[in-house]
């Protein structure tokens, strides 16, 4: 219910209240900025403390055959990107490392370590995500040195053509096209999934099949 005009505060009082709200809001914003800086320092501290544990985990994972391909196949978002030949290639994946850059805000890198395999010459495939000072995202990655006739990024389109009669069984675009796609680095879903979901605890996805067998 609106109050009569005579009961409303004069316009001058409203204006003064707005100015005071603005001053208070500035203080809130200042504290929020200060909090962000403090949180960043804590994240940097704990990133360093986590490193030896990540290293130990990688050494233990290396003792388990097909750990990473199993983890990726069991992850709903990643498995949707995997064709049959992608899975074959990922059987040679021995190690995954996610490294946040020291100041955290400027980006991160994902390294994939491979054994000798019939698909490409590289021992390591990497993709980096960068944020410049103005917050614009960009990415860059290792050029994959495919062996003759083994380029999965080209073969995926041929497979799709063959599967066009059965679209529900159509092969997805190759997982490895992710390394060449820099069109929208700020919304790279696969990179974010690996960094924020899989990397913190890959074991939960590796064990998913075993849980279903119980």
């Amino acid at each position: 219910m609106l109050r009569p005009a005579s009961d409303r505060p004069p316009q001058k009082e409203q204006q003064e209240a707005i100015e005071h709200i603005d001053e208070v809001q500035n203080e809130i914003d200042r504290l929020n900025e200060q909090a962000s800086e403090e949180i960043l320092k804590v994240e940097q501290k704990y990133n360093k403390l986590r490193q030896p544990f990540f290293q130990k985990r990688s050494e233990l994972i290396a003792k388990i055959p097909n750990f990473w391909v199993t983890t990726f196949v069991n992850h709903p978002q990643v498995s949707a990107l995997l064709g049959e030949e992608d899975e074959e290639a990922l059987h040679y994946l021995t190690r995954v490392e996610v490294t946040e850059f020291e100041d955290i805000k400027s980006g991160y890198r994902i390294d994939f370590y491979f054994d000798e395999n019939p698909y490409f010459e590289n021992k390591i495939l990497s993709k980096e995500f960068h944020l410049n000072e103005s917050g614009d995202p960009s990415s860059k990655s290792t050029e994959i040195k495919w062996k003759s006739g083994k380029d999965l990024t080209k073969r995926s389109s041929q497979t799709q053509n063959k599967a066009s009669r059965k679209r529900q069984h159509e092969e997805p675009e190759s997982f490895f096209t992710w390394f060449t796609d820099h069109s929208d680095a700020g919304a790279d879903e696969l990179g974010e999934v690996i960094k924020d979901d899989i990397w913190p605890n890959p074991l939960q996805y590796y064990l998913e099949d075993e849980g279903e067998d119980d």
Side-chain angles (χ1 to χ4, degrees), residues 131-142:
L131 278 178
N132 64 21
E133 289 181 5
S134 60
D136 295 323
S138 64
S139 61
K140 63 180 182 178
S141 58
T142 309

Side-chain angles (χ1 to χ4, degrees), residues 1 28 51 76 82 114 121 124 138 151 158 164 167 186 200 213:
M1 181 177 173
I28 293 169
Q51 287 314 307
L82 299 178
F114 288 86
E121 303 288 350
I124 304 173
S138 64
D151 188 339
Q158 296 166 3
S164 59
R167 295 194 68 81
D213 293 340

